[in-house]
Amino acid sequence: GAGVSQTPSNKVTEKGKYVELRCDPISGHTALYWYRQSLGQGPEFLIYFQGTGAADDSGLPNDRFFAVRPEGSVSTLKIQRTERGDSAVYLCASSLDGPLDEQYFGPGTRLTVT
Amino acid sequence: KNQVEQSPQSLIILEGKNCTLQCNYTVSPFSNLRWYKQDTGRGPVSLTIMTFSENTKSNGRYTATLDADTKQSSLHITASQLSDSASYICVVSANSGNTPLVFGKGTRLSVIA
């Protein structure tokens, strides 16, 4: 596609529920990144994929968060037992090779946990 | 600890005026510094990217400077337009293939008529 796309654009869920957020990177980009952005803050790194493998998952806040990229393209961020503090915009980005390359961001998914 | 600090936190200027946003960082070893523009409800969009050897780079009415010795960068916006209203985020990359980008909190710019 022309750019990074993310679905859904908005997600409202109840505390304790499971959610999946999807990211479609730019075609041909081997690197994919997930960030979380709270209101008035800059994006916070969560995890970075190189191909199918997670090259760096040091930003995942706890074991309720998990992400996959099984075929090296689309990625899914999964959050179990959601908490109100998980409410944020979840941004996905992709780059051609790795973190030193230009990163192109998607529009984000706004997650609200009630 | 790798950090990026931006100032001011927010800024309001009149249309047509110039402004300068500041960024200080402690990321080491340094690889590159980027400025992003983020409109409300959208993902960040890259404006400039500078490596250690570059001390200025322009993109239209946006000019970024970098002083790698003092670890400071600035983003100068000339002849501001209403569409410049956005958050401007300074992002620094360490010189390591697997090290994530370090984001500042951004400066919220409002351009008013």
Side-chain angles (χ1 to χ4, degrees):
Chain A
V4 178
S5 61
Q6 293 185 244
T7 54
S9 55
N10 280 284
K11 176 71 177 177
V12 180
T13 190
E14 292 180 348
K15 179 176 177 293
K17 298 293 187 182
Y18 168 82
V19 296
E20 289 189 353
L21 312 180
R22 176 187 167 108
C23 172
D24 282 81
I26 292 173
S27 178
H29 280 194
T30 63
L32 183 146
Y33 316 81
W34 282 101
Y35 297 91
R36 178 168 69 175
Q37 187 174 25
S38 300
L39 191 64
Q41 303 292 314
E44 171 194 15
F45 170 78
L46 295 177
I47 186 170
Y48 148 53
F49 286 91
Q50 188 64 50
T52 60
D56 185 344
D57 64 358
S58 61
L60 295 177
N62 51 60
D63 61 6
R64 295 186 298 105
F65 288 75
F66 189 70
V68 295
R69 195 185 186 202
E71 297 179 359
S73 179
V74 171
S75 176
T76 304
L77 178 66
K78 307 180 181 191
I79 310 174
Q80 298 177 322
R81 304 182 303 280
T82 52
E83 300 177 356
R84 292 194 180 88
D86 298 336
S87 297
V89 173
Y90 289 81
L91 291 166
C92 176
S94 70
S95 68
L96 187 60
D97 285 323
L100 298 183
D101 293 333
E102 183 66 68
Q103 292 189 20
Y104 298 86
F105 284 81
T109 293
R110 179 175 296 281
L111 175 66
T112 303
V113 181
T114 62
Chain B
K1 180 181 178 183
N2 289 335
Q3 285 187 312
V4 175
E5 301 286 342
Q6 292 188 244
S7 62
Q9 188 174 37
S10 62
L11 182 63
I12 301 174
I13 62 173
L14 291 175
E15 185 180 14
K17 297 296 186 181
N18 304 336
C19 67
T20 301
L21 314 181
Q22 302 291 343
C23 173
N24 297 335
Y25 62 92
T26 59
V27 178
S28 181
F30 173 85
S31 175
N32 60 59
L33 184 145
R34 315 166 192 209
W35 282 93
Y36 282 87
K37 178 186 179 186
Q38 185 174 24
D39 292 310
T40 301
R42 312 287 286 271
V45 174
S46 179
L47 295 175
T48 63
I49 179 169
M50 289 183 292
T51 60
F52 182 89
S53 60
E54 298 174 293
N55 54 27
T56 187
K57 182 164 280 190
S58 292
N59 178 358
R61 294 178 296 102
Y62 302 102
T63 299
T65 65
L66 172 65
D67 186 333
D69 291 330
T70 62
K71 300 187 177 181
Q72 296 180 326
S73 175
S74 66
L75 180 68
H76 186 74
I77 305 175
T78 304
S80 61
Q81 300 176 357
L82 297 178
S83 60
D84 292 334
S85 296
S87 286
Y88 292 83
I89 304 174
C90 176
V91 186
V92 182
S93 175
N95 193 16
S96 170
N98 279 359
T99 301
L101 300 180
V102 184
F103 287 75
K105 293 183 179 181
T107 291
R108 178 70 201 174
L109 174 66
S110 297
V111 180
I112 60 175

